[in-house]
Amino acid sequence: MPDIRVRGPRARRVRVLAATGALAGLLAGCGIRATQVPTDFGPAPSMVPCELSATDLATQATPSGMPVEVFLLCSGALVRVNRSVQVAESADEAQRRVVVAQGLLDALAGDPSDVENEAGYSTAVPPGLGVTGPAPGDPEDALRLSTAPDALPRYALAQIVCTFADSAAAGDNGSVVLGSTSADSLRRYECTPEIQSAPGKGNPPSTEVGTS
């Protein structure tokens, strides 16, 4: 019989086919049916954690109201998300600040949207929190909560401080004066990069604010 040798691409193809046939025979001998379809290991993750696409943002956008940003929790950090607050045009500056603050609290306490929930967003702010403006003798930018700030969970206080400090509810210096409606004391809380990246490690830094 003549010596028939196959070289080049055809030779490689013959060897691959032979190996494939041998593997199929071994699998059949073990009682395992060979298949040419790759194994399905399940669908890829549908969304990158803590990221919302432009389509997602457009879908969840509120059609009316003053656009605001609040801080939700995701992967152990504070992350901005879009919300809106209804504010009457006739409200004066003091009323406007309180209305915005209450709207921000309500937005923080609300359940994240389905899209946000799928991306890993959550909130620690309890529902039912109320806020009022300054009491007599308070600085004009003070806000008083129905629950004492130091009685709130650390994550919740961090969310509130950073949301208020970055909004029309407070000044533009990255801080907010907070107190309780049931106590006279006030503190100025700061939203620092450290608090944004690790809100559970401790309360936001604060200093006592005097009242007259």
Side-chain angles (χ1 to χ4, degrees), residues 14-15 37 56 83 106-107 126 143 159 170 198 210:
V14 168
R15 287 195 295 270
V37 180
D56 296 329
R83 293 291 187 268
D106 294 341
L143 295 169
Q159 285 183 259

Side-chain angles (χ1 to χ4, degrees), residues 95-108:
Q95 291 176 324
R96 182 183 181 86
R97 289 182 61 253
V98 175
V99 170
V100 170
Q102 185 62 63
L104 293 172
L105 280 180
D106 294 341
L108 286 170

Side-chain angles (χ1 to χ4, degrees), residues 90-210:
S90 59
D92 60 29
E93 185 63 26
Q95 291 176 324
R96 182 183 181 86
R97 289 182 61 253
V98 175
V99 170
V100 170
Q102 185 62 63
L104 293 172
L105 280 180
D106 294 341
L108 286 170
D111 293 331
S113 68
D114 291 342
V115 169
E116 292 166 345
N117 186 62
E118 184 180 354
Y121 289 78
S122 64
T123 184
V125 177
L129 276 179
V131 61
T132 62
D138 287 355
E140 64 178 9
D141 60 344
L143 295 169
R144 290 188 173 272
L145 303 176
S146 57
T147 297
D150 58 5
L152 292 168
R154 287 179 177 178
Y155 285 104
L157 182 58
Q159 285 183 259
I160 293 171
V161 167
C162 288
T163 296
F164 280 0
D166 195 41
S167 74
D172 56 0
N173 59 357
S175 67
V176 58
V177 177
L178 294 177
S180 168
T181 54
S182 60
D184 293 334
S185 61
L186 292 170
R187 300 191 70 85
R188 181 176 292 277
Y189 293 87
E190 296 181 30
C191 177
T192 62
E194 293 75 18
I195 286 297
Q196 291 187 39
S197 61
K201 286 191 174 180
N203 286 337
S206 65
T207 55
E208 189 173 357
V209 175

